[in-house]
Every structure is written in structure tokens, then in C-alpha cells.
Amino acid sequence: MSDLSREELDDIYAFAVQLGKDAGTMLMEAAQLRTGDSRAIQEQKEHVQKENAVDLVTETDENIEAFIKQQITSRYPSHAFVGEESYSKGASRDYLITPSPTWCVDPLDGTVNYIHLFPMFCVSIAFIHNNKPLIGVINAPFLNQFFSSCAGRGAFLNETQPLPLIRNPVPTMPGKAPSGCVFSCEWGKDRKDVPDGNLHRKVESFMNMAAEIGGRNGRGGMVHGVRCLGSATLDLAYVAMGSFDIWWEGGCWEWDVAAGIAILQEAGGLVTTANPPEDCDTAPIEDVRLGSRLYLAIRPAGPSATETGRQSQERTVREVWKRVRNLDYSRPGA
Amino acid sequence: MSDLSREELDDIYAFAVQLGKDAGTMLMEAAQLRTGDSRAIQEQKEHVQKENAVDLVTETDENIEAFIKQQITSRYPSHAFVGEESYSKGASRDYLITPSPTWCVDPLDGTVNYIHLFPMFCVSIAFIHNNKPLIGVINAPFLNQFFSSCAGRGAFLNETQPLPLIRNPVPTMPGKAPSGCVFSCEWGKDRKDVPDGNLHRKVESFMNMAAEIGGRNGRGGMVHGVRCLGSATLDLAYVAMGSFDIWWEGGCWEWDVAAGIAILQEAGGLVTTANPPEDCDTAPIEDVRLGSRLYLAIRPAGPSATETGRQSQERTVREVWKRVRNLDYSRPGA
């Protein structure tokens, strides 16, 4: 597959932005239907229970994905399409994204939030080429927040405010990071009470990040705050905004993160793996692979007198790695 | 102090709503100043560090409180005023609210969020009489969300949408609550790594609420999701909306919760103490005392075929109590 021209990419970007707006309107209308009329309750009763109580899916999900897929395939019939809903009905969760132009879509990220009408839900649309997320569009209609980016064109909130929000200059990472940082993480769906299982490893990691300096046998990170939103996509969007300094999570699929990674990288953020390497101080810090299911994101950072922005991000990555446990989220068949 | 007439209360409500709008505009303008210009960074550097890294206060905080106090004292000179900023400069944190008409104000709740420009921050204004929060106004300008209530007049989002959002009928609490519930909680500022200290007790409680049914020696609650926003006021507002089913927290002061409690109670929610009694199954469930610092909030709930809404809320309170630990947050001098 050859490279795309600037004009082609800009054309795809404009299309993706309009698609995100239209899909967001569908999502908002579906949410509004559920407030103040009895039909809403009926719909809520019809939620299909999937693997467990945490994993619900709604008809809205499927309708919006069908709309997005139809729009894409009629406009760009040669492009591949990977959607959360169609994917999860398939036989496996193999990694399906090839170097060819591919759309990766989550029609409703933050499903639990949507069901309860907590505003942190969104449509997430990414365009990927040569395995790189080049375009990201995230529409959270209940928050009036629309995030978008295109490689080489910048990342924006509501199409006008460049990301990160604080940018003249962009602050460097705190000198004692993770201290001073807002740390975003998720409890997720894996709630098995198994000693040293993912739930216990996560909570041990959260504790290390939160506890006072000197606590936890020297691992205490005294982060400024711990936040859990229930949407990996919006976690990444808020890292791109600079609102969250650090996001650490395992278990996400590519549709949960593709658009957020595109926006965060375009804004100047760093995304690497959640799992600490053997030597946290010297291991190379590589850009995350989209299918890895393990993510550590650091917000955009500017230089200080003694470091480049990238150096301050990498220092933060190493300090996080020293405080977190390895998580076990392999791919089926991997 | 005699009772207020309906007319007097309505007059105070209209005043409080306008005050919340004006203060929210000040807060939004201060936030916007920090994006995209260098003055913003300067201001950020000037944040005063209080007790520890988690407890920052900004000039904005003080300016907005001074504005609110000035407006109130010129309109209602006989009313008492208790504000977070003026309070924290005093000698103690004794409980100062008397049966007289009193305003209880947090000019900026979610200070950490505000500093990082994460949208979950707000102005919080409550009017209290005979120790009951009668009026609540919460303005979260970055979210475009304005919550308000007055005893006997209902609770609203953006002045038009009655709370809770889903209401024809209002759903009862899930039959296996806390399973099926969104559980909101906060890590807070108390990060001491002391065995059986508040941090450890909180995290043990979070784990019990999150873990699979049957896990944690039968305490596993398998909640639908765990959320941490970093704003007690907005936690309560989202319980009033019905977005969060359960909020459990210790350590808040009255200005953190007064407006949220007013709105939640007017919407039909229940607020009692966070700390489990000796017998969770039979202890009476009393309305929380405003100065208690220990809060368990349950969303508005309608009846089912077998329970009143209140019965389903009380059942949920007891199931939460069985899964959480006592927290140690006494008042200075209490």
C-alpha cells in the first residue's frame, strides 16, 4: 500500500469529523430518549447481558456502528473496517489491523456510563494507515466535548482549542513525578478475586501510586489525585488535554484506544506499554503497539532548563514502571 | 429563629441561582485565562502549597469566595456565612452551623481538577435553615452543567431537566445491589501508609465493592463500575441525577457536601453515615448530620412490586455497610 497524499488525508479527516458529529447526534438522541419517558425504561430492561454484569451492550451501540460502517464503506469502499460491535460477534479477537487503510471504531465507549447516564461516554473513530493511527475523532455529546486530530494538523477540543490546553509554554512533567500528577486508571471488568490476579495487581499498583512518599517500602508516589472515569477513550482524550498526567491500564482492545492514541500523539503525548521491563531505569521506551492491550500514556510536556519535554516524559514512564505490577492481558491465540 | 415563608424561601432561591451563575462565570473566565497564554503558567506557579501536595489553593478560590460573601451579606445581612476559604484560615474546624439561616459555600470544589483543567470542578452554594440544607446550587461551568434545588420546588439540571434524569418511573435499586450499581468513591488526601489506617480501610472497602460475587469471603459486591471524580460536590450531583447509584466517602467538610445533599434529598435520594453500625441488618437508618464528615448517599429510587423506593434504598445501605470498613474522621475538638 502506497502512502496517502496530504490532500487524501485531509479529505479523510474532514469526512471523519463530520461522521463523528453525526454519530454523536445519534448517541445524544438515544440518551435523551431515555430521560423522562417510559419508553426509556423499557429500553433499559432490554439490555442484553453479555459475559457478566459489567459488560452490557445496547441496541444503540449496534445502530451507531451500522451507521458509521455504512457511511465509510460507501465513501471509501477500499478501506477496511474494524468495529467493536461487529468484532465481538466474530469467532476470535485476533488482531485484524493490517498496513492497509483501516477504520477502527467504537460506536459507544463507556457503555456502563451510558446505561447509567453518567456523561463520560462517547463515539470513537480512528483512521489507521501503515499501522499508525493518523486521525482520531472522539465525540462526548453529553459533555459538549468533541476531540479531533490529524497527523500534521494538530489536535483540538471542539475544533478550535489546540491541545494540550495549557501551551504557552506547555508545562514540563513535575520534577518528582508521579508526585504532583493526576493519575487516571480503571478498575475494569476483570474482578476475579484470585491472589496475584489482575485485580489484585491493579489495586496494589494504585496503592503504590497514591500512598505518601516513603510509604509502600519506598514505592509511594503521592500522586496529586486518582481518577477513574470508566472510559479508556476519554482517559486518553484528557491526557491529550493535559488534564490527566498519567494513564495506566491493561485489557483494552484497539477500538478502545485507537482514536485516543491518535489525538494524544498528535498533541505531543507519549504512549508506551503498561508492563514494567526488567530494568526500569535503562529499558528502551518504545511507542506502544496498537494491539498490545497494555497502555501507559503520559501527557504532552514541554522542556525545562535541564530536560527536553520527551526526557521529562520518559523519566515519568520509568517512575511509573517502578510502582506498578505486570498485568496479564494476552490476546486470544497470541 | 422562626420559619421562613414560602415567598422568602423562593426569593432566596432565585438569588442563589443567579449567584451560582455569576460565580460560575468568574470560575470559567479564570480557567480560560490559564489556557493559551503565558500568564496562565505564572498563575499556576503561584499556587500556594497547603498541608501537602494534594491540598492546593488558588487565588481564584479566594476571589470567588469574597465575591459570593459580599453579594450575600449585602442582600441578606442577617444571614450567617460559612465559606471554605475563610473557614480554613480560622483557628479550628469546629462545626459552626447554627439553626439560624446560614450560607455554606465552597467557591471551588475539585481544586486539584481545576489546577489540571480536568472539567470536574464547580462552585457550590447551599442555604441552610434549622440545620437542614434547603437550597443547593452547583455550577460546573467547564461541563456546562448547572444543578439547583429548593425544598418543595424540585431539583434540576440546567434549570429545566428534573432530577433524577430517568423518572417515568424512577427505577428501583437493583435487586442484588451493590451488584448492578455504579459506585462512586474518592482516594482523598489522606495517604498515610499506616496498617489499618484510613487509606488501607478505604481500599479494602473499594475492593470488597468491586470484587466478584463470592469473592472476598462473601463480601464481593461486583458493582457495575467504580468511579473517582475528585469532587465530593459533583459526586453528590451525579447521585441526584441517577448516574451514580452509591457514593461512599469520609473526611469531607460541610462546604464540600451541603449543596449536594440539598439537591440529592430534594431529588429523592438518601444520605446517611458511611460507617457501618454494629448490626447492619437492623440498625436504624438516620439522615446524615451535616457536620459528621462520613457520608453514604443512595440515588433516588422508585418502588417495585415488592418494595417502596425507600425500602430499596435502605436495603442498599445495609448491603454497602456490610462491605465497607469504619473510617476515622473525627472533628477537631469533637
Side-chain angles (χ1 to χ4, degrees):
Chain A
M1 197 76 206
S2 64
D3 272 352
L4 295 163
S5 70
R6 183 72 255 174
E7 289 69 25
E8 283 173 301
L9 196 60
D10 286 342
D11 179 75
I12 294 169
Y13 185 33
F15 168 78
V17 165
Q18 188 56 50
L19 187 58
K21 288 179 185 174
D22 294 341
T25 301
M26 285 180 74
L27 187 53
M28 191 60 177
E29 286 173 354
Q32 282 167 336
L33 263 183
R34 295 179 43 223
T35 63
D37 74 338
S38 54
R39 178 175 159 193
I41 307 308
Q42 204 48 46
E43 288 182 324
Q44 203 176 34
K45 285 182 187 152
E46 284 164 14
H47 289 137
V48 182
Q49 211 154 341
K50 280 203 290 195
E51 292 159 39
N52 62 38
V54 178
D55 203 344
L56 296 181
V57 63
T58 63
E59 222 180 79
T60 304
D61 228 338
E62 297 177 1
N63 290 345
I64 297 175
E65 177 160 323
F67 166 77
I68 294 172
K69 185 175 184 177
Q70 182 273 321
Q71 294 286 105
I72 290 171
T73 50
S74 72
R75 173 75 174 259
Y76 300 109
S78 70
H79 291 186
F81 180 89
V82 171
E84 195 264 341
E85 280 308 304
S86 38
Y87 211 90
S88 60
K89 285 178 181 153
S92 82
R93 291 205 164 185
D94 291 340
Y95 186 65
L96 295 181
I97 295 173
T98 71
S100 302
T102 301
W103 294 80
C104 186
V105 170
D106 192 348
L108 171 50
D109 188 85
T111 310
V112 170
N113 291 337
Y114 174 76
I115 289 167
H116 295 260
L117 289 181
F118 176 57
M120 291 284 168
F121 57 84
C122 61
V123 177
S124 173
I125 298 171
F127 175 73
I128 302 163
H129 185 225
N130 290 328
N131 291 306
K132 288 202 171 61
L134 297 181
I135 291 170
V137 172
I138 296 171
N139 191 349
F142 210 131
L143 294 165
N144 298 299
Q145 292 187 323
F146 183 89
F147 302 89
S148 58
S149 76
C150 180
R153 294 293 190 213
F156 296 89
L157 171 63
N158 296 334
E159 299 185 86
T160 53
Q161 265 193 289
L163 303 181
L165 291 181
I166 298 180
R167 52 189 302 104
N168 287 321
V170 176
T172 194
M173 296 300 293
K176 303 202 167 170
S179 175
C181 293
V182 174
F183 173 57
S184 167
C185 55
E186 299 291 349
W187 287 72
K189 304 171 188 178
D190 187 351
R191 309 287 185 76
K192 289 195 196 75
D193 183 28
V194 177
D196 212 37
N198 279 324
L199 178 61
H200 286 257
R201 290 179 184 209
K202 273 191 164 185
V203 174
E204 184 184 333
S205 304
F206 300 169
M207 272 289 264
N208 288 343
M209 294 292 280
E212 60 184 334
I213 302 290
R216 307 287 293 173
N217 293 317
R219 285 202 168 79
M222 193 63 191
V223 295
H224 208 180
V226 179
R227 301 291 177 264
C228 305
L229 302 185
S231 163
T233 304
L234 288 169
D235 284 329
L236 282 162
Y238 288 123
V239 177
M241 262 173 71
S243 308
F244 293 159
D245 301 278
I246 300 165
W247 178 63
W248 178 78
E249 172 65 324
C252 307
W253 299 99
E254 36 278 26
W255 48 85
D256 296 318
V257 296
I261 288 175
I263 292 168
L264 176 55
Q265 288 180 333
E266 182 64 17
L270 184 161
V271 194
T272 187
T273 181
N275 278 359
E278 214 159 288
D279 187 340
C280 296
D281 283 317
T282 60
I285 292 172
E286 290 169 4
D287 277 353
V288 77
R289 288 177 303 108
L290 191 54
S292 75
R293 307 196 64 201
L294 296 161
Y295 306 95
L296 170 58
I298 310 291
R299 69 157 165 84
S304 69
T306 56
E307 282 177 315
T308 65
R310 174 80 187 192
Q311 283 170 331
S312 78
Q313 291 172 323
E314 293 200 353
R315 169 171 54 76
T316 306
V317 165
R318 297 187 194 284
E319 292 299 323
V320 174
W321 277 346
K322 288 173 191 173
R323 288 166 173 86
V324 296
R325 296 287 309 277
N326 274 274
L327 299 176
D328 178 23
Y329 289 107
S330 55
R331 294 193 79 89
Chain B
M1 195 76 208
S2 64
D3 273 352
L4 294 163
S5 70
R6 184 72 257 173
E7 289 68 28
E8 284 172 300
L9 197 60
D10 286 343
D11 177 77
I12 295 168
Y13 184 34
F15 169 79
V17 165
Q18 188 57 49
L19 187 57
K21 288 179 186 172
D22 294 342
T25 301
M26 283 180 75
L27 187 54
M28 191 61 176
E29 284 172 356
Q32 282 166 338
L33 263 183
R34 295 180 44 221
T35 63
D37 74 335
S38 53
R39 179 176 157 192
I41 306 307
Q42 205 47 45
E43 288 183 324
Q44 203 174 35
K45 284 180 187 152
E46 286 164 14
H47 287 137
V48 182
Q49 213 153 340
K50 281 202 290 194
E51 292 160 38
N52 61 37
V54 178
D55 203 346
L56 296 181
V57 65
T58 64
E59 224 178 79
T60 304
D61 229 337
E62 296 176 0
N63 291 345
I64 296 175
E65 178 160 324
F67 166 76
I68 294 172
K69 187 175 183 177
Q70 183 272 320
Q71 294 286 107
I72 289 171
T73 50
S74 71
R75 173 75 174 257
Y76 299 108
S78 69
H79 291 185
F81 179 88
V82 172
E84 194 264 342
E85 282 309 303
S86 40
Y87 210 92
S88 59
K89 285 178 182 155
S92 81
R93 292 206 164 185
D94 290 340
Y95 185 65
L96 295 181
I97 296 173
T98 70
S100 302
T102 302
W103 294 80
C104 185
V105 168
D106 192 348
L108 172 48
D109 188 84
T111 310
V112 170
N113 292 336
Y114 174 76
I115 289 166
H116 295 261
L117 289 181
F118 175 56
M120 290 284 169
F121 57 83
C122 61
V123 177
S124 172
I125 299 170
F127 175 75
I128 302 164
H129 186 226
N130 289 328
N131 291 305
K132 289 204 169 62
L134 296 181
I135 290 171
V137 171
I138 297 171
N139 190 349
F142 211 131
L143 294 166
N144 298 299
Q145 292 186 326
F146 183 90
F147 301 88
S148 58
S149 75
C150 179
R153 295 293 189 212
F156 295 88
L157 171 63
N158 296 333
E159 299 185 84
T160 53
Q161 266 193 289
L163 302 181
L165 291 180
I166 299 180
R167 52 188 302 106
N168 287 323
V170 176
T172 194
M173 296 301 294
K176 303 203 168 167
S179 174
C181 292
V182 174
F183 173 57
S184 168
C185 54
E186 300 291 349
W187 287 71
K189 304 171 188 177
D190 187 351
R191 309 287 186 77
K192 289 197 197 74
D193 184 27
V194 178
D196 212 37
N198 279 325
L199 178 62
H200 285 257
R201 289 178 185 209
K202 271 190 166 185
V203 174
E204 184 185 332
S205 303
F206 300 169
M207 273 290 263
N208 288 342
M209 293 292 281
E212 61 185 332
I213 301 289
R216 308 285 291 172
N217 292 318
R219 284 201 171 79
M222 192 64 191
V223 296
H224 208 180
V226 179
R227 301 290 177 266
C228 306
L229 301 185
S231 163
T233 304
L234 287 169
D235 284 328
L236 281 162
Y238 289 124
V239 177
M241 262 173 70
S243 307
F244 294 159
D245 300 280
I246 300 164
W247 178 62
W248 178 79
E249 172 65 322
C252 308
W253 300 100
E254 37 279 25
W255 49 84
D256 296 318
V257 297
I261 288 174
I263 292 168
L264 176 56
Q265 288 181 333
E266 182 63 18
L270 183 161
V271 194
T272 188
T273 181
N275 277 0
E278 217 160 285
D279 186 341
C280 297
D281 283 318
T282 60
I285 294 171
E286 290 168 5
D287 277 354
V288 77
R289 286 176 306 111
L290 191 53
S292 74
R293 306 194 65 201
L294 297 160
Y295 306 95
L296 170 58
I298 310 291
R299 69 156 166 84
S304 69
T306 55
E307 281 177 314
T308 65
R310 175 79 189 192
Q311 283 171 330
S312 78
Q313 291 172 323
E314 294 201 352
R315 168 171 55 76
T316 306
V317 166
R318 297 185 193 285
E319 292 300 323
V320 174
W321 277 345
K322 289 174 191 173
R323 288 165 174 86
V324 296
R325 297 286 309 276
N326 273 274
L327 299 175
D328 179 21
Y329 289 106
S330 55
R331 295 192 80 89

